[in-house]
Amino acid sequence: DYQAMVAQLEHQFRLGKLSVQGLWFYCQPMVRPMQALSVVVKKASASRIIGSAVLNLLQSQAKVMAGDHVVRSLLEKMSQCASQAYLKILERWVYEGVIDDPYGEFFISENKLLQKESLTQDYDAQYWQQRYSLKEDIPSFLANAAETILTTGKYLNVMRECGHSIQVPVAENLKLTMVGSNRRPIECIKAAYEFASGALLNLIKEKYDLMGKLRSIKHYLLLDQGDFLVHFMDIAREELVKKPEEISVEKLQSLLDLALRSTAAVADPCHEDLTCCMEQMTLVKRLSTLKDLQISQISSGVELEEPVNIIGLETFSLSFRVQWPVSLVISRKALTKYQLIFQFLFHCKHVNRQLCGAWQLHQGLRKPDMQGIVISVSSLLCRNMLKFISSLLHYLTFEVIEPSWHIMHNRLQTAKSIDEVIEHHDFFLDKCLRECLLLSPVLLKKLEKMKLLCLQYASAVHWLITDTGGVTTDDSDVYNYSNLKLRTQSQKQNEGSENRSVIRSILKFEREFNNELRSLGPILSSGSHVEPYLTHLAQWLLGVGKN
């Protein structure tokens, strides 16, 4: 247009018809466009802008000149032409998951320092959130679709990282660079997102068997399939009662493998991914170090006490080997949350087993009709403790974990993207942590104290009861019992004194246990307004000692 104007002026000049007034007249059509271009160039130069900012500047100036059709048309045409190079970068990202941006003009940045391996190693790994991120300058015509564009390329990039050379199928007339000014690129981007999302989800679900791995983790770390655990606790007991630093992890691993091969777990194709480990700290200490967990407000300011003498049973945990891209869902953070729940359940199982051993001792003493007042008192306390820990385990497994798992499972079946899968999985874990009382220091402290009382009682009951006359469950003791009448009067008096001492010890355990149980009531009642699930827990626990 400018050159046409110059040619027209030259022609008029050669004809001798060009005057100053004519010159001004012929220049008028180019004055405003050149002035507008001058403004654009000066603003771009002054701010040293590139990429998205240039496109936004052209579009904003076009809006400013909305009243001047000629200038507006010129700026819109410039904006459209300048967008073509930009759209080529965008096209490779949303169709191939590749950033081809040699001059750093694209609105998505890549942090190459973040590697996918960190997902399985670092609790605070930010690979999925920060490997690719949005810059501040985004073209205004793509602003509403920026998150979709970012996510689409991320999905395609994951598949490329898995060795799948995948590209969004697109017709020639749907390419972003072929989109005219009368058609917005949002439709193309949406179609690319739907393809990438579905392809990645199918890849992780079908080829990498995400649901199968989640089920295996549920079997082992949430104790859904407990036969292997019973066998493992039997054969590993001698090792687990040692101090953590004295325990051989390699020996525990071989015992775990033996337990898995000897039970129904051997049919699980993922059982070889299960490993054991000894944590550096107990459950209570680990909870206090994880600052991102949302601790219950009703429990803020409460410090949990560490046990003085720690044994392997309190720091033992299981882990699970996870490979890319399943590690997007089952990350180090997710596995840590599974391990926290496992440690709590595992210790409850240990307490339950110890109390069951004590109960069997009482039942053995009943057979030869030895249930004097000592056995009766101790038997009642043992039954209440056993009922308490069994009720707690039932609540944790059947009232919290199982229904929450089914809800998550159903949601995962209808999820449309891997981000939805991650969101549902994280929600499941956080819900289990909260309702298993691990995020409530007041209740956790109370339960840990009651479990400690149960363990102390189960440990003491063996020598307390057997010391009341050398009583055990041997057949020879039946013979000894039948000859009790032959004992001297002084022996009988000594036995009576011992019985009274034993009864006092048992009654002391009973008082402490009942006091702790009664003190749970006000805590559960006050917390149920904020956490409704505590009402259900109270129904299970507070009825233990009423009979």
Side-chain angles (χ1 to χ4, degrees), residues 72-127:
R72 180 168 58 85
S73 298
L74 172 63
L75 292 175
E76 286 178 350
K77 183 179 180 181
M78 288 185 64
S79 177
Q80 185 179 349
C81 292
S83 298
Q84 291 301 303
Y86 200 84
L87 290 175
K88 286 181 181 178
I89 304 175
L90 176 62
E91 199 171 76
R92 287 211 68 187
W93 174 249
V94 297
Y95 290 161
E96 301 176 42
V98 175
I99 294 182
D100 185 8
D101 182 26
Y103 302 106
E105 297 175 313
F106 198 39
F107 66 91
I108 293 175
S109 63
E110 179 182 9
N111 185 352
K112 293 184 179 180
L113 296 176
L114 296 176
Q115 299 296 318
K116 62 180 183 290
E117 289 76 17
S118 65
L119 287 169
T120 58
Q121 300 167 0
D122 185 6
Y123 179 86
D124 296 313
Q126 296 295 313
Y127 175 87

Side-chain angles (χ1 to χ4, degrees), residues 366-377:
R366 287 171 183 264
K367 292 178 182 178
D369 194 26
M370 294 181 180
Q371 65 175 88
I373 188 171
V374 174
I375 303 302
S376 298
V377 172

Side-chain angles (χ1 to χ4, degrees), residues 172-190:
E172 188 67 25
N173 61 344
L174 285 179
K175 286 188 175 180
L176 290 171
T177 51
M178 300 297 293
V179 175
S181 58
N182 60 339
R183 183 176 178 186
R184 299 182 65 80
I186 304 301
E187 293 179 16
C188 304
I189 294 168
K190 185 178 180 182

Side-chain angles (χ1 to χ4, degrees), residues 50-313:
I50 60 171
S52 304
V54 174
L55 298 180
N56 288 336
L57 175 61
L58 288 170
Q59 291 191 339
S60 64
Q61 288 301 115
K63 291 179 181 178
V64 170
M65 303 304 294
D68 192 324
H69 176 70
V70 175
V71 175
R72 180 168 58 85
S73 298
L74 172 63
L75 292 175
E76 286 178 350
K77 183 179 180 181
M78 288 185 64
S79 177
Q80 185 179 349
C81 292
S83 298
Q84 291 301 303
Y86 200 84
L87 290 175
K88 286 181 181 178
I89 304 175
L90 176 62
E91 199 171 76
R92 287 211 68 187
W93 174 249
V94 297
Y95 290 161
E96 301 176 42
V98 175
I99 294 182
D100 185 8
D101 182 26
Y103 302 106
E105 297 175 313
F106 198 39
F107 66 91
I108 293 175
S109 63
E110 179 182 9
N111 185 352
K112 293 184 179 180
L113 296 176
L114 296 176
Q115 299 296 318
K116 62 180 183 290
E117 289 76 17
S118 65
L119 287 169
T120 58
Q121 300 167 0
D122 185 6
Y123 179 86
D124 296 313
Q126 296 295 313
Y127 175 87
W128 188 239
Q129 293 80 13
Q130 297 181 8
R131 171 65 187 235
Y132 297 99
S133 57
L134 295 175
K135 297 179 182 177
E136 291 184 4
D137 287 326
I138 301 173
S140 57
F141 67 98
L142 295 175
N144 292 334
E147 288 290 344
T148 304
I149 293 170
L150 173 65
T151 305
T152 302
K154 284 169 64 176
Y155 290 168
L156 294 172
N157 188 264
V158 170
M159 287 185 277
R160 285 199 315 106
E161 292 273 1
C162 295
H164 292 264
S165 180
I166 194 163
Q167 185 172 356
V168 177
V170 56
E172 188 67 25
N173 61 344
L174 285 179
K175 286 188 175 180
L176 290 171
T177 51
M178 300 297 293
V179 175
S181 58
N182 60 339
R183 183 176 178 186
R184 299 182 65 80
I186 304 301
E187 293 179 16
C188 304
I189 294 168
K190 185 178 180 182
Y193 168 78
E194 290 176 353
F195 174 84
S197 177
L200 177 59
L201 195 58
N202 289 334
L203 179 72
I204 292 180
K205 278 187 174 182
E206 302 300 329
K207 181 175 179 178
Y208 294 96
D209 192 21
L210 172 64
M211 297 308 300
K213 287 178 169 53
L214 286 175
R215 279 192 291 270
S216 294
I217 290 176
K218 177 173 181 270
H219 289 333
Y220 304 129
L221 271 74
L222 301 184
L223 306 189
D224 177 54
Q225 203 171 55
D227 55 340
F228 91 94
L229 185 69
V230 172
H231 186 36
F232 173 73
M233 292 179 79
D234 286 337
I235 60 179
R237 185 180 183 282
E238 290 185 6
E239 196 71 18
L240 289 173
V241 295
K242 297 178 182 178
K243 294 180 179 180
E245 60 271 15
E246 298 174 356
I247 293 176
S248 169
V249 178
E250 291 77 13
K251 183 176 181 180
L252 280 181
Q253 184 64 50
S254 64
L255 293 173
L256 178 64
D257 293 338
L258 176 62
L260 290 171
R261 290 194 298 269
S262 306
T263 59
V266 72
D268 181 5
C270 299
H271 78 274
E272 293 183 354
D273 293 323
L274 189 67
T275 62
C276 64
C277 57
M278 295 303 299
E279 299 296 339
Q280 300 299 316
M281 56 192 79
T282 63
L283 170 66
V284 169
K285 188 70 174 176
R286 289 185 77 188
L287 285 168
S288 65
T289 59
L290 301 177
K291 302 301 182 184
D292 65 312
L293 297 179
Q294 297 180 351
I295 303 298
S296 174
Q297 293 298 317
I298 62 172
S299 309
S300 57
V302 176
E303 293 186 4
L304 296 173
E305 298 174 1
E306 274 280 87
V308 178
N309 297 316
I310 299 174
I311 60 173
L313 284 162

